[in-house]
Amino acid sequence: MSDISRNGGGGGTPPGRIGIGLELDAIHMKILEILRENGRISVAALAERVGISRANAYTRFEALRADGTIKRFTAEIDHVRAGLGITALIFVTVRQQMWKQFRAELARMPEVEYCAITTGQHDAMIQVRMADVAEVHAMVTDRLANIPAVKATETVFILDEVLRRPYVLPSDRDQARPSRRPPQESQGDVPLGKMRFVGAAEGRAALRKDT
Amino acid sequence: MSDISRNGGGGGTPPGRIGIGLELDAIHMKILEILRENGRISVAALAERVGISRANAYTRFEALRADGTIKRFTAEIDHVRAGLGITALIFVTVRQQMWKQFRAELARMPEVEYCAITTGQHDAMIQVRMADVAEVHAMVTDRLANIPAVKATETVFILDEVLRRPYVLPSDRDQARPSRRPPQESQGDVPLGKMRFVGAAEGRAALRKDT
DNA sequence: GTTGAAATTAGTACGAA
DNA sequence: TTCGTACTAATTTCAAC
């Protein structure tokens, strides 16, 4: 079914506190920060960088792993060098009540790197890596379009990936503030109307693609 | 400028062959496959699983690292447990010739996990992780909307992340074939019209958000 | 490209603060 | 809980084949 954890609606989780599991303190966060930048660092070196004993580092490291806060360690690979120079986003409209089938089909597509269910005019976004544009086309027309659960697709290509951070942590927000741009409380010059938030129902009603 | 490599138009790169750098053979690919699943495996264990000697494994491992094919090792963190339960995608329309400013501002936003330049009706997609929806709202209205380079935004929320694969490799495609669904050469029942490919110019002309 | 042996480092266990 | 130490096992390096 789902490979990774859900992000569902409940937005009330205070940073650092988890529903059920480990209570994360500042040292845990520091460990995560180092580990996402260098997943192969030794626990001894980790202990030194964090400023705790080796034994403590081992305990915390294992706890984070056992708890599931650290899901896995992975190598980030340069897909261009590996032979997959084309990245595309495919926005999919899914026939309601056929989600199970859609997910099952996705599991059989190894070229899919990421898939998320979204609000907005589409229901899902999938990211694929391919050797060339023809392969993307073939994937969309031959494989995706043949899934009954897929009602419509919209494909865009990625021209450049500006940045990818291993994983964002709550502590990152604290670094955002000390930057430029003073507090600016209730400024009148916020260009409202520039932005738009698209809820699930709203978006889907606004843009009926077919049927 | 750019944190990660470009995916630009040149789609003629044969799988396994890289423009300038290492020539990747089947053993290199196998190493990458193992490493993306277990980034902390020892080189000794890696050698055994691949079926080569330790020294060979060390040589290849170092070559892949030096070449940049392996960009880094990282820990995948459960953002919900870490306190960031909300994920959103923000599609941004960028004022032309202000890309440099846009990129510079992005670098100052640690809560942004991913940013890609796309074809289609928007120019860029950014993915953010936040503790709650209010923070997403604040980020879009206070921080993004204040960037002159940002012409318009459209935000959707991620309800569920169905899957994330560490990194897709060319060898993944070979696993896709032996699945169900026989070759089906030139079948007449492909539901054409379901899918849509959106080029940059086309999309932008179709949906002019503002001036 | 492989094997084997030495040096280093990692991981574990335990008592003390 | 956390720290420090000592012990054991594994990994990495370097050599010769």
Side-chain angles (χ1 to χ4, degrees):
Chain A
M1 210 135 284
S2 178
D3 270 346
I4 51 182
S5 66
R6 278 88 206 280
N7 295 324
T13 319
R17 177 66 183 84
I18 20 184
I20 184 161
L22 209 59
E23 186 104 20
L24 301 182
D25 59 20
I27 292 171
H28 284 120
M29 284 300 172
K30 206 166 176 186
I31 290 173
L32 294 177
E33 254 172 73
I34 294 168
L35 246 26
R36 73 181 171 166
E37 278 165 25
N38 181 7
R40 270 183 91 84
I41 192 172
S42 72
V43 181
L46 184 70
E48 196 184 21
R49 281 190 57 182
V50 174
I52 56 174
S53 70
R54 287 204 310 155
N56 193 358
Y58 274 106
T59 308
R60 285 168 177 272
F61 182 88
E62 255 319 301
L64 287 169
R65 241 182 176 304
D67 180 57
T69 305
I70 297 174
K71 291 192 284 189
R72 66 178 153 191
F73 292 93
T74 186
E76 274 191 23
I77 290 158
D78 187 319
H79 31 267
V80 178
R81 278 174 203 270
L84 297 176
I86 299 294
T87 307
L89 299 176
I90 306 166
F91 298 92
V92 182
T93 309
V94 180
R95 241 174 268 281
Q96 295 309 310
Q97 272 129 14
M98 295 186 83
W99 279 102
K100 231 180 78 181
Q101 190 210 27
F102 177 67
R103 295 173 105 113
E105 289 293 333
L106 267 183
R108 273 190 233 120
M109 300 184 184
E111 53 275 88
V112 173
E113 180 170 301
Y114 180 69
C115 173
I117 312 301
T118 66
T119 64
Q121 53 185 230
H122 307 102
D123 299 312
M125 183 191 82
I126 75 181
Q127 185 178 30
V128 295
R129 305 259 185 209
M130 300 264 150
D132 50 58
V133 283
E135 281 192 2
V136 178
H137 186 249
M139 148 113 198
V140 174
T141 55
D142 297 346
R143 286 170 62 58
L144 270 181
N146 274 319
I147 302 174
V150 173
K151 203 194 279 183
T153 67
E154 192 161 330
T155 305
V156 305
F157 289 93
I158 288 184
L159 304 173
D160 187 12
E161 296 186 272
V162 180
L163 74 87
R164 157 162 268 140
R165 299 217 173 85
Y167 260 90
V168 176
L169 294 175
S171 50
D172 292 327
R173 267 173 313 166
D174 309 333
Q175 304 171 349
R177 308 298 158 86
S179 107
R180 221 145 314 160
R181 238 176 257 299
Q184 291 177 315
E185 307 169 9
S186 69
Q187 49 198 10
D189 60 331
V190 182
L192 285 168
K194 286 220 301 201
M195 57 278 181
R196 190 168 159 232
F197 290 85
V198 187
E202 177 201 334
R204 218 161 296 135
L207 191 106
R208 291 214 156 275
K209 307 197 91 69
D210 71 341
T211 316
Chain B
M1 210 138 284
S2 178
D3 269 347
I4 52 184
S5 65
R6 277 90 204 277
N7 295 325
T13 319
R17 178 65 184 82
I18 21 182
I20 185 162
L22 209 58
E23 187 104 19
L24 302 182
D25 59 20
I27 293 172
H28 283 118
M29 284 300 173
K30 207 165 177 188
I31 290 174
L32 293 178
E33 254 172 72
I34 293 168
L35 246 25
R36 74 182 170 165
E37 278 165 25
N38 181 7
R40 272 184 88 85
I41 193 173
S42 72
V43 181
L46 183 69
E48 196 184 22
R49 281 191 57 183
V50 174
I52 55 175
S53 70
R54 269 136 344 134
N56 192 355
Y58 275 105
T59 307
R60 285 167 178 274
F61 182 88
E62 256 318 302
L64 287 169
R65 241 183 175 303
D67 180 58
T69 305
I70 297 173
K71 290 192 285 190
R72 66 178 152 191
F73 292 94
T74 186
E76 273 191 22
I77 289 156
D78 187 319
H79 31 266
V80 178
R81 279 176 203 270
L84 297 176
I86 299 294
T87 307
L89 298 177
I90 307 167
F91 297 92
V92 182
T93 308
V94 180
R95 239 173 271 279
Q96 295 309 313
Q97 272 130 12
M98 293 185 85
W99 279 103
K100 230 182 78 182
Q101 188 209 31
F102 177 66
R103 294 175 106 113
E105 287 294 333
L106 268 184
R108 272 191 233 119
M109 299 184 185
E111 52 275 89
V112 173
E113 182 170 297
Y114 180 70
C115 173
I117 311 302
T118 66
T119 65
Q121 52 185 230
H122 306 102
D123 300 311
M125 183 190 82
I126 75 181
Q127 185 177 30
V128 296
R129 306 258 184 209
M130 300 262 146
D132 51 56
V133 283
E135 279 192 2
V136 178
H137 186 250
M139 147 114 198
V140 174
T141 56
D142 296 346
R143 284 169 64 56
L144 270 182
N146 274 319
I147 301 174
V150 172
K151 204 196 276 184
T153 67
E154 192 161 330
T155 305
V156 305
F157 289 93
I158 287 184
L159 304 172
D160 188 10
E161 296 186 272
V162 179
L163 74 87
R164 156 161 269 141
R165 299 216 174 86
Y167 260 90
V168 176
L169 294 175
S171 50
D172 292 327
R173 267 173 312 164
D174 310 333
Q175 304 171 351
R177 310 296 158 86
S179 103
R180 220 145 315 160
R181 238 177 259 298
Q184 289 177 318
E185 307 168 9
S186 72
Q187 50 198 7
D189 60 331
V190 183
L192 286 168
K194 286 216 310 197
M195 57 278 182
R196 193 172 157 227
F197 290 85
V198 187
E202 179 200 334
R204 216 160 298 135
L207 191 107
R208 290 214 156 274
K209 307 197 92 73
D210 69 341
T211 32

